[in-house]
Amino acid sequence: MEKAKISAYQLFILIVLFELGSALLVPIAIEANQDAWLAILIGMVGGFCLYLVYHGLYSYYPDIPPTEYIQKIMGSFLGKILAFIYVLYFIYLSARVLRDFGEMLITSFYWETPLFILNTLMVLLVIYTVRKGIEVLARTSELLFVLIFLLGVSVLFLIVVSGIIQISYLEPVLEEGIKPVIKTTFTQTLYFPFGEVIIFAMILPYLNRPEKVKRIGLLAIGFSGLILASVMAINVSVLGVNNITRSPFPLLSTIQTIEVAGFLERLDVYFILITVIGVFFKMCVFFYASVVGTANLFKVKESARLAFPLGLAILILSITIASNFSEHVKEGLHVITLYLHLPLQVIIPSLLLLIAFIKNKKKKSKHSKNLFPKRKYRLVERDKK
Amino acid sequence: MNHKWLLLFLIMTSTVFISGCWSQKELNELAIISAMAIDKNEEGKYVKTIQLVNPGNVAGGLQGGGNGQSPAVTVYTAMGDSVLEAHFHATSKVSRRLYHGHANLIVISEELAREEGITDILDAFERDPEIRMTSRVVIAHHTKAGDLLKSLTAIDKIPAEKVNGTIQTTERARGESMEVTLQDVITTLTSAGKETVISGFSLIGDIQQGKKMENVQQSELDTTLESDGLAIFKEGKLVDWYQGEMSRGVVWILDKIQQTDVILDWKGQENTLTYNVVRQKTKVSADTTNDLPVITVNVRAEGDIREVRSQIDLTDPYEILDIEKEFEKEIKKQLENTVTRTQQNKSDIFGFGEVIHRSDPEKWKKMKSDWNDTYFPNLKVNVKVEAFIRRSGNRTNSYISDMKQ
């Protein structure tokens, strides 16, 4: 744990950029056809619940990262193994995001450039940022969020002005009933992108005002969920469901459809800017959590020293996890959601919360009842310090 | 200190390598494609024609250069067993890298569209990240697709721009053709409830004459390119051509009419009144209570009287009301003709299937598989037209009324 503090506003921006990161790129929830936006919104509600679970754990151990409190909850041996699994999980996810980034650039723009080169450039940037620490990352996000916001608003404006939105593509709503939507939610959108906020459990201890964590987190998830749902709705209403299922990067296709006044067209650069910034932050957060988690688990004093070796590992992993794009996407949508996301994002955190709850209750009954009567008291205690 | 200088040196050198020039091509290494055409020859091979821009000859008169001496475009053809192979064979004829980023027109030959259909050839275009999905698609009518690109044009020096511009203008002014993008074509091909319509374009005159520079050095061109009706597709194959009012009917039901004119006979006199539609809105709705759905096409048109050739009292509001009624009947008749012919073609180009899909998904599921052959031809289609005459231009009654009194 480095000695750093981030503000509530910075946390909000980090979560939003993180959620948008690679989710803006790919056709999320398209299994629900034209109701993809609905699946995203339901996934968002699920995301609220998951965040409350992570926040519950945080409120029991507000000053230490998950890699440490897992050991307190599960005992040293089992806890260490579990923490190690989580660190590996974070590393794997950052490799996936890196691969997404590289694949997107190669497919759409740099088809003669090797994947290795593009990924190396990104990884170097991420390593640099993470070595500078969480405060720098948070401040950068504040700066770039303005840019992304302006880009998003202008793209939305151009899409509306060029008259390519056909709301009728969104109908009929719930053609096959609610079932496929719920199914998509529980096989995809709940975990990607919303469940991935579990990574912020590693970052929450840095927040300077712990009482705001709950509200800010929920707000950020809600905000990004609304953005994702409306972007997907716009994609569908511009391209139609058939075209989206066939395009690996639907937002790019949507932006390419814009034609305003005969010269405002071919605005691919908007897409590149939005996604590169988004993916950069997503990678940074994942990578930061991996580095801090490793340092915490193996008691490395200066976590920044781990950035280079871990970065190299992620770079190699990002290239070796799949031999082609189809394999990468298939793994992302069908394998890891079930075998990694579901246990690590939902089941284990819920169990941990349950155990923590029981343990703390026991503690409470053992000690005199006045020691921790209410949370308010604890806050006052800390302020005095 | 030394350390710092080394770092600076490293940063400086890295700018050479990481500034995104991995596969950089300078402008003078690119051959900019303005249009592509696909034909099929007797041996069954695809013939791809590419129209390249000669940048020096496009610029205005003052810039000089080779202006006026040689044409603004150069055309190459190549053959292949697939569209992409034909494209790569073309590279043996061109000294530069073929660049698709500015290609804005894809021409498909009538023959190919009729015999084999367009389904097999579009994937190469859709997959290539360099080709834009907003490229316009056109069917060459009565001519080879390649010839459409070879003829030189006046005013717009690049024939691709001339073709696109003409289609856009006729769509806006009269509504007999419409701009169809590659994305539109593929969307309608994959949709079960809507079939494809593509604008036609034809070459008038002799192609050998059209290739020469002399063609554009005269006031009236021997060989010209003209917008020519709409090609109607069924499951990717061309089945019919619509011309004139028939094709306008299609554009009208698709709600893409911006302006158009309607002529009316009045009290026994032929073609007396010309009505200029300034704006209109067409809504298609479906009633699925019965076994066979009923489609209602609601047209609401607003416009002016722009030509009068007899004695009609346009100052009388009751007279105007009568004229409106007649125009409503005329427009209704034209639209119904289009619908009837389309039902005979068994190809739902209006997207009535999609309307039913949206209003009654359950019913649509049953009809989806044989929509075009069984259900669509037997649909009952009600056309309801409301036409409003708002004003009559710069005069009230025609001078003809004064002459005859």
Side-chain angles (χ1 to χ4, degrees):
Chain A
M1 287 283 287
E2 55 175 332
K3 294 254 175 300
K5 283 288 169 217
I6 58 172
S7 73
Y9 176 60
Q10 286 171 331
L11 179 74
F12 175 81
I13 288 173
L14 269 181
I15 295 182
V16 170
L17 287 176
F18 172 86
E19 291 285 315
L20 298 185
S22 54
L24 270 183
L25 273 178
V26 293
I28 45 169
I30 198 59
E31 284 83 357
N33 290 339
Q34 61 268 42
D35 300 322
W37 58 276
L38 200 60
I40 295 173
L41 286 183
I42 299 176
M44 178 185 88
V45 175
F48 288 154
C49 304
L50 288 182
Y51 185 79
L52 288 178
V53 172
Y54 311 146
H55 177 263
L57 283 166
Y58 164 77
S59 60
Y60 283 120
Y61 307 96
D63 301 318
I64 50 175
T67 39
E68 210 169 315
Y69 66 62
I70 287 179
Q71 296 177 38
K72 290 207 171 166
I73 297 172
M74 301 289 288
S76 180
F77 178 70
L78 216 65
K80 270 201 172 107
I81 293 177
L82 205 54
F84 186 61
I85 290 174
Y86 267 103
V87 169
L88 285 182
Y89 175 61
F90 295 157
I91 290 177
Y92 175 65
L93 286 185
S94 37
R96 280 200 67 82
V97 176
L98 187 58
R99 177 67 177 254
D100 276 336
F101 163 82
E103 289 288 351
M104 180 273 288
L105 283 184
I106 290 183
T107 316
S108 331
F109 309 102
Y110 301 97
W111 50 92
E112 289 168 20
T113 312
L115 183 65
F116 181 75
I117 301 292
L118 292 173
N119 283 5
T120 308
L121 293 176
M122 190 56 159
V123 129
L124 285 177
L125 188 65
V126 169
I127 290 173
Y128 176 75
T129 318
V130 167
R131 276 175 66 95
K132 291 287 169 196
I134 187 81
E135 278 183 357
V136 173
L137 179 63
R139 281 203 298 271
T140 321
S141 69
E142 266 183 287
L143 268 180
L144 290 177
F145 182 70
V146 179
L147 180 65
I148 275 222
F149 187 75
L150 291 178
L151 283 175
V153 169
S154 57
V155 161
L156 183 67
F157 176 74
L158 286 172
I159 288 178
V160 170
V161 166
S162 67
I164 46 179
I165 292 187
Q166 281 173 284
I167 299 291
S168 62
Y169 280 146
L170 287 171
E171 294 172 297
V173 180
L174 296 180
E175 186 179 2
E176 312 273 335
I178 192 84
K179 236 173 125 188
V181 178
I182 298 289
K183 200 184 153 213
T184 316
T185 306
F186 281 101
T187 52
Q188 203 192 105
T189 48
L190 177 60
Y191 319 110
F192 172 78
F194 297 107
E196 285 179 338
V197 282
I198 191 174
I199 204 83
F200 279 90
M202 297 290 296
I203 292 179
L204 293 183
Y206 293 117
L207 202 70
N208 59 1
R209 299 176 66 183
E211 76 279 6
K212 277 196 165 180
V213 164
K214 194 169 173 183
R215 223 178 60 132
I216 287 292
L218 292 180
L219 264 178
I221 292 173
F223 184 65
S224 44
L226 286 180
I227 289 182
L228 282 175
S230 44
V231 165
M232 204 56 203
I234 288 174
N235 282 340
V236 172
S237 56
V238 169
L239 300 171
V241 174
N242 282 334
N243 282 331
I244 291 187
T245 38
R246 280 181 292 113
S247 44
F249 311 110
L251 183 61
L252 175 64
S253 305
T254 303
I255 289 179
Q256 281 175 337
T257 319
I258 296 175
E259 279 180 310
V260 178
F263 69 97
L264 276 174
E265 46 188 77
R266 303 173 186 186
L267 301 166
D268 307 19
V269 65
Y270 275 91
F271 175 75
I272 304 193
L273 281 173
I274 292 173
T275 53
V276 168
I277 293 173
V279 163
F280 166 73
F281 281 105
K282 190 156 189 175
M283 256 225 72
C284 277
V285 172
F286 271 137
F287 187 56
Y288 183 80
S290 321
V291 168
V292 172
T294 317
N296 184 269
L297 189 60
F298 295 100
K299 307 249 164 2
V300 180
K301 283 252 162 59
E302 263 185 85
S303 60
R305 279 171 179 270
L306 288 170
F308 264 109
L310 273 182
L312 191 67
I314 285 173
L315 175 62
I316 294 167
L317 193 61
S318 78
I319 289 164
T320 49
I321 44 174
S323 58
N324 54 43
F325 185 58
S326 315
E327 194 184 326
H328 176 67
V329 171
K330 196 85 183 167
E331 279 172 3
L333 292 184
H334 300 283
V335 182
I336 69 165
T337 43
L338 210 62
Y339 297 103
L340 283 180
H341 286 339
L342 180 63
L344 290 174
Q345 288 179 358
V346 184
I347 299 173
I348 294 177
S350 314
L351 285 178
L352 286 177
L353 184 65
L354 192 72
I355 299 170
F357 175 73
I358 296 167
K359 268 196 172 170
N360 280 282
K361 212 162 196 191
K362 264 188 199 162
K363 228 189 243 168
K364 224 189 256 176
S365 53
K366 248 187 227 168
H367 297 284
S368 78
K369 275 181 183 168
N370 282 338
L371 200 54
F372 297 116
K374 270 202 175 119
R375 229 179 135 226
K376 218 178 191 175
Y377 179 73
R378 277 162 66 192
L379 287 176
V380 172
E381 273 288 288
R382 188 171 356 182
D383 284 349
K384 270 179 195 166
K385 277 176 203 165
Chain B
M1 199 60 203
N2 234 344
H3 198 68
K4 259 185 189 167
W5 283 111
L6 186 70
L7 201 68
L8 185 66
F9 176 72
L10 278 175
I11 290 171
M12 300 264 281
T13 39
S14 67
T15 56
V16 178
F17 297 106
I18 63 172
S19 51
C21 299
W22 185 274
S23 49
Q24 138 256 28
K25 300 274 184 302
E26 295 299 333
L27 207 53
N28 59 2
E29 297 166 26
L30 294 179
I32 296 169
I33 299 176
S34 56
M36 294 171 277
I38 305 287
D39 280 288
K40 198 153 201 189
N41 66 5
E42 293 78 25
E43 300 158 33
K45 287 199 172 192
Y46 290 111
V47 181
K48 188 169 179 187
T49 310
I50 48 174
Q51 189 183 70
L52 302 175
V53 179
N54 280 341
N57 299 329
V58 182
L62 276 177
Q63 257 124 3
N67 191 37
Q69 310 299 316
S70 52
V73 291
T74 310
V75 175
Y76 292 96
T77 52
M79 282 181 288
D81 289 322
S82 70
V83 176
L84 199 64
E85 196 193 47
H87 169 73
F88 281 115
H89 282 169
T91 54
S92 62
K93 302 181 180 182
V94 188
S95 57
R96 300 176 176 190
R97 182 181 173 274
L98 294 171
Y99 179 64
H100 285 101
H102 290 280
N104 208 6
L105 176 68
I106 296 167
V107 186
I108 299 167
S109 86
E110 185 185 358
E111 224 185 319
L112 176 63
R114 200 182 281 279
E115 280 157 21
E116 199 180 299
I118 52 172
T119 32
D120 289 352
I121 55 176
L122 294 178
D123 184 73
F125 295 108
E126 190 193 21
R127 200 173 288 278
D128 193 328
E130 219 173 70
I131 295 176
R132 301 292 160 159
M133 291 302 284
T134 48
S135 300
R136 305 305 195 259
V137 183
V138 156
I139 304 288
H141 196 186
H142 296 312
T143 172
K144 278 187 183 169
D147 288 350
L148 211 58
L149 300 189
K150 288 173 191 160
S151 173
L152 296 175
T153 50
I155 304 181
D156 282 313
K157 283 184 178 170
I158 297 172
E161 277 177 20
K162 141 92 187 171
V163 172
N164 284 337
T166 312
I167 290 184
Q168 195 181 48
T169 321
T170 36
E171 177 179 347
R172 288 189 185 159
R174 185 149 161 74
E176 276 181 10
S177 62
M178 55 181 190
E179 286 185 286
V180 179
T181 62
L182 185 56
Q183 183 158 307
D184 294 335
V185 174
I186 291 173
T187 309
T188 47
L189 278 178
T190 50
S191 164
K194 192 172 184 180
E195 292 294 318
T196 315
V197 187
I198 306 179
S199 285
F201 228 84
S202 62
L203 179 99
I204 312 292
D206 179 27
I207 178 61
Q208 293 308 326
Q209 199 60 38
K211 286 181 191 172
K212 291 181 193 146
M213 210 48 202
E214 292 116 61
N215 190 40
V216 287
Q217 284 169 338
Q218 35 194 359
S219 63
E220 188 184 21
L221 273 58
D222 291 332
T223 309
T224 53
L225 303 177
E226 272 185 29
S227 162
D228 190 8
L230 288 178
I232 309 300
F233 284 76
K234 187 188 178 186
E235 278 134 29
K237 279 189 180 171
L238 201 160
V239 288
D240 200 2
W241 281 99
Y242 286 7
Q243 307 279 2
E245 276 153 14
M246 202 55 90
S247 62
R248 182 174 65 185
V250 177
V251 182
W252 207 316
I253 295 176
L254 289 174
D255 195 23
K256 286 190 175 168
I257 293 273
Q258 296 181 11
Q259 255 192 38
T260 189
D261 53 284
V262 183
I263 299 187
L264 193 67
D265 303 342
W266 188 251
K267 291 182 180 156
Q269 278 177 290
E270 275 188 2
N271 305 334
T272 322
L273 281 163
T274 308
Y275 173 54
N276 187 26
V277 177
V278 178
R279 65 184 68 84
Q280 64 84 33
K281 181 76 198 160
T282 306
K283 281 183 191 151
V284 178
S285 53
D287 174 18
T288 51
T289 40
N290 296 326
D291 272 349
L292 198 63
V294 177
I295 295 282
T296 309
V297 178
N298 253 314
V299 177
R300 191 192 146 94
E302 245 181 89
D304 310 342
I305 296 285
R306 296 308 290 267
E307 188 176 345
V308 180
R309 302 205 298 183
S310 76
Q311 297 166 312
I312 300 172
D313 188 10
L314 289 177
T315 53
D316 179 9
Y318 292 103
E319 190 86 346
I320 298 275
L321 279 180
D322 288 345
I323 301 173
E324 280 177 352
K325 287 276 166 324
E326 288 303 308
F327 276 119
E328 283 168 8
K329 270 188 212 158
E330 176 67 21
I331 295 170
K332 183 176 152 94
K333 192 186 80 196
Q334 287 182 13
L335 295 187
E336 280 172 345
N337 285 345
T338 310
V339 171
T340 316
R341 179 151 163 199
T342 311
Q343 285 184 321
Q344 283 161 7
N345 284 332
K346 298 185 178 176
S347 168
D348 180 14
I349 48 177
F350 307 118
F352 290 162
E354 281 187 353
V355 176
I356 294 171
H357 180 195
R358 284 197 286 275
S359 56
D360 196 339
E362 288 301 315
K363 211 159 223 171
W364 171 245
K365 235 179 260 169
K366 285 177 217 147
M367 297 190 283
K368 195 175 168 185
S369 52
D370 38 25
W371 169 250
N372 273 322
D373 290 316
T374 323
Y375 295 100
F376 175 69
N378 302 317
L379 270 186
K380 184 166 165 33
V381 180
N382 294 323
V383 181
K384 285 180 189 163
V385 183
E386 280 181 291
F388 298 95
I389 295 168
R390 296 301 185 199
R391 44 197 71 82
S392 59
N394 235 349
R395 290 289 178 270
T396 49
N397 287 340
S398 171
Y399 61 86
I400 297 170
S401 316
D402 293 340
M403 281 167 67
K404 291 188 177 166
Q405 267 166 14

